[in-house]
Amino acid sequence: MGLFRNRGLTDDERARIPPGQHLVRNFPVLDVQGPPYNEVPPDWDMRIWGDVANPQRWSFDELLALPAVREVIDIHCVTSWSKLDTTWFGVPMSWVLEAVGPDPAATHVIAHAEAGYTTNVSLAALRAPGVLLAHEYDGLPLEPEHGYPLRLVVPQLYFWKSAKWLRGLEFRSSDQPGFWERRGYSNSADPWKEERYAF
Ligand SMILES: Nc1nc2c(c(=O)[nH]1)N[C@H]1C(S)=C(S)[C@@H](COP(=O)(O)O)O[C@H]1N2
Ligand SMILES: [Mo]
């Protein structure tokens, strides 16, 4: 099926599509609940807490003033679509990690989003290249359905790990499955190893 649906791709494109995935040119929307709002609420904040030396709480204006970089990355949804060369702009996770100073005991991070959506990632996964707290897509503020005003982007993992409507990162010395991980999705979620489901 994947091969069939990927007819007509260049060799470069085909090499960038993980097994069992097919290329899309549109930008599908997938979530449990739709966008919580179209404007940043006055009490909005982004918090980082747990096993860190320097917990953080940023208003949206403070967040926009942090160092930001542009990343062009490929994204892969477990429902089998992949999109190449997506352009995001936001605070690099490498900078965030410098700022918060994870405790030596910290091994995992829980992303907390609006409406109780969570997802867990290893600290090692967050240290990979391209991980962002993204507030722009294609040069514009995020669309509400794609996570406005802030989303986590973890390009090397299936896209359910890239929490939309992000409000917090909790650093922990133990793992804790998130929303989809509790419902049978893979903990590690590497698209190149087809780590889709836990069983
Ligand atoms: N807060 C929140 N983030 C979420 C989700 C969600 O339901 N809620 N769905 C995840 C899933 S399963 C996918 S595939 C991507 C989809 O992102 P997109 O709608 O921007 O394509 O968002 C992820 N982040
Ligand atoms: Mo997904």
Side-chain angles (χ1 to χ4, degrees), residues 27-32 77 81 113 117 145-146 151 159-160 162-165 180:
F27 195 168
V29 173
L30 277 101
D31 44 54
V32 188
C77 174
W81 57 267
Y117 186 86
E145 60 268 29
H146 290 299
R151 86 181 289 168
F159 209 36
W160 83 79
S162 292
K164 305 195 275 193
W165 314 302
W180 283 118

Side-chain angles (χ1 to χ4, degrees), residues 122-184:
S122 70
L123 186 51
L126 284 192
R127 293 189 194 282
V131 182
L132 284 182
L133 300 181
H135 48 79
E136 286 186 18
Y137 176 79
D138 252 356
L140 292 172
L142 298 183
E143 298 285 348
E145 60 268 29
H146 290 299
Y148 173 86
L150 186 70
R151 86 181 289 168
L152 180 63
V153 174
V154 187
Q156 74 281 6
L157 302 181
Y158 281 123
F159 209 36
W160 83 79
K161 300 282 190 182
S162 292
K164 305 195 275 193
W165 314 302
L166 185 71
R167 292 292 301 275
L169 294 177
E170 173 191 359
F171 285 67
R172 299 170 51 95
S173 57
S174 63
D175 200 4
Q176 177 178 274
F179 181 88
W180 283 118
E181 293 82 5
R182 285 197 298 275
R183 288 161 175 80

Side-chain angles (χ1 to χ4, degrees), residues 5 27 43 45 72 110 119 130 136 139 145 175 180 191 193 199:
R5 290 166 88 181
F27 195 168
D43 62 345
D45 59 7
V72 180
I110 313 299
T119 186
E136 286 186 18
E145 60 268 29
D175 200 4
W180 283 118
K193 298 179 184 162
F199 302 104

Side-chain angles (χ1 to χ4, degrees), residues 4 10-11 17 21 23 27 31 44 58-59 79 99 103 126 130 132 141 154-155:
F4 180 74
T10 66
D11 287 346
I17 309 282
Q21 297 290 112
L23 182 69
F27 195 168
D31 44 54
W44 189 96
W58 295 308
S59 70
T79 63
D103 292 346
L126 284 192
L132 284 182
V154 187

